[in-house]
Amino acid sequence: MKSDVEELMPRLLPVEFGAAAEDLDLNGPPRNPREYLRQVQLEASLCPEVVVAQIDPKKLKKKQTINASVAGCHAAPEGFSPSLSWQQHQVSNFSHVRQKGVIHVTGWSNNLTSITKNRDHWSSNILDDDVKMPELTDEEGWKRFCLGKTVYAGASSGQTEAEPEPLLDYSKVGYPPFLTIVSRLNQSTVLMVLEVLICWFDEHKFVPQLGRWLYALLACLEKPLLPEAHSSIRQLARGCAQLRSTLESQEDEKLPALNLLICLVARYFEQSDLADQPE
């Protein structure tokens, strides 16, 4: 009589033994394919249809939980969020930066030419002798390169304010995201540096060097985004919103930069649940 399983699921490899089955030696190792298949059938027939595991509750570990953050951004204080028209204008400007021409970056005195259109041209230019780009895996080196030794050392030592430099020394104040530099970064490097700077932002203050590099790296980020890129830019937007919620004045110089980064993440990179809504 066939089992219920055999009734529902026909054999994929039916094996008929007939009268010759008595000659099969099932005690030792199989001597041929027929004996092997017969042994498998017999072993399967001896297995119970339902097996209940005997578990000692005392050996179980404590219940583990995983907290997955799906929260949106901190709501902006009244009067601190930008208008919808301002956001749309910034998205248009940002798209122009990535694809077509030259645009002024709101909140920072910095010009970026089209990233996509001119990447090959700018990457072929020779860097100045004093520009030493860090190795891909040198996270601390990228922090010093982008933010400058002064900001990096101040953050490392716990200082909150750095004394101004009398002369422009990029090694101390940080290298701006020149096209000759950012055009040399492939997508893996762009994402790695972006993650490094976002993590730095989570633990330290917002400085102009950081804002310029975050904008430039977002401009270099290719769509469609990789999953890790989604996670990083959402972390950036939430960090900007959290800092914005602590500002005491609408005249704070950090406000336009924070609003801009939130706007780009939410509206250009389509993380709409993080977007500022019109008041």
Side-chain angles (χ1 to χ4, degrees):
M1 182 177 180
K2 293 183 178 180
S3 67
D4 293 339
V5 174
E6 289 177 321
E7 290 288 350
L8 295 174
M9 300 177 62
R11 295 177 184 178
L12 295 179
L13 188 61
V15 179
E16 300 296 339
F17 295 95
E22 298 178 357
D23 300 331
L24 297 178
D25 183 6
L26 303 180
N27 296 320
R31 295 170 298 181
N32 53 56
R34 245 175 48 181
E35 287 190 0
Y36 171 76
L37 293 174
R38 182 56 176 162
Q39 286 185 357
V40 171
Q41 285 184 333
L42 289 176
E43 289 178 2
S45 67
L46 297 176
C47 293
E49 294 185 4
V50 178
V51 178
V52 179
Q54 301 298 322
I55 300 176
D56 184 358
K58 297 180 180 179
K59 295 182 179 180
L60 292 177
K61 296 181 179 179
K62 294 182 178 179
K63 184 179 179 181
Q64 297 180 350
T65 58
I66 299 176
N67 294 323
S69 177
V70 294
C73 287
H74 277 268
E78 185 176 355
F80 281 67
S81 62
S83 66
L84 179 59
S85 62
W86 184 91
Q87 296 180 63
Q88 293 171 338
H89 180 66
Q90 300 309 320
V91 169
S92 176
N93 282 354
F94 185 69
S95 179
H96 193 69
V97 168
R98 287 168 60 97
Q99 300 295 336
K100 296 180 181 179
V102 180
I103 199 69
H104 182 75
V105 181
T106 303
W108 307 298
S109 297
N110 183 39
N111 286 324
L112 290 175
T113 317
S114 166
I115 301 296
T116 304
K117 184 177 180 181
N118 299 311
R119 179 180 293 276
D120 293 339
H121 167 73
W122 288 104
S123 62
S124 64
N125 286 15
I126 299 175
L127 293 174
D128 293 340
D129 293 337
D130 63 332
V131 180
K132 305 296 183 184
M133 295 178 64
E135 297 293 333
L136 172 61
T137 57
D138 185 4
E139 296 186 1
E140 300 305 312
W142 279 107
K143 294 174 188 177
R144 288 191 296 269
F145 184 84
C146 299
L147 306 175
K149 294 179 181 177
T150 302
V151 171
Y152 178 81
S156 300
S157 62
Q159 299 174 3
T160 56
E161 295 294 337
E163 295 182 2
E165 294 291 333
L167 298 175
L168 183 59
D169 183 345
Y170 287 141
S171 67
K172 293 184 178 180
V173 300
Y175 288 89
F178 294 129
L179 281 170
T180 50
I181 294 175
V182 297
S183 60
R184 284 173 161 78
L185 307 181
N186 59 32
Q187 279 301 289
S188 297
T189 308
V190 167
L191 183 55
M192 187 280 295
V193 178
L194 184 62
E195 291 175 346
V196 166
L197 295 182
I198 291 173
C199 290
W200 190 93
F201 174 39
D202 284 345
E203 300 175 359
H204 303 95
K205 63 182 180 178
F206 189 91
V207 293
Q209 299 98 308
L210 177 64
R212 285 192 289 266
W213 268 97
L214 290 173
Y215 185 96
L217 291 170
L218 289 177
C220 294
L221 204 58
E222 294 179 357
K223 297 175 73 174
L225 297 178
L226 297 172
E228 53 267 34
H230 274 284
S231 176
S232 293
I233 65 174
R234 288 179 66 84
Q235 180 182 349
L236 171 61
R238 286 194 290 264
C240 290
Q242 194 281 328
L243 177 57
R244 182 179 62 182
S245 69
T246 67
L247 300 181
E248 298 179 354
S249 170
Q250 297 179 28
E251 303 303 318
D252 193 302
E253 62 181 8
K254 295 187 289 293
L255 180 59
L258 298 174
N259 280 341
L260 176 58
L261 292 172
I262 296 170
C263 169
L264 296 180
V265 170
R267 299 200 179 271
Y268 184 85
F269 291 103
E270 300 171 340
Q271 307 299 303
S272 56
D273 61 305
L274 305 180
D276 286 315
Q277 301 302 324
E279 294 182 353

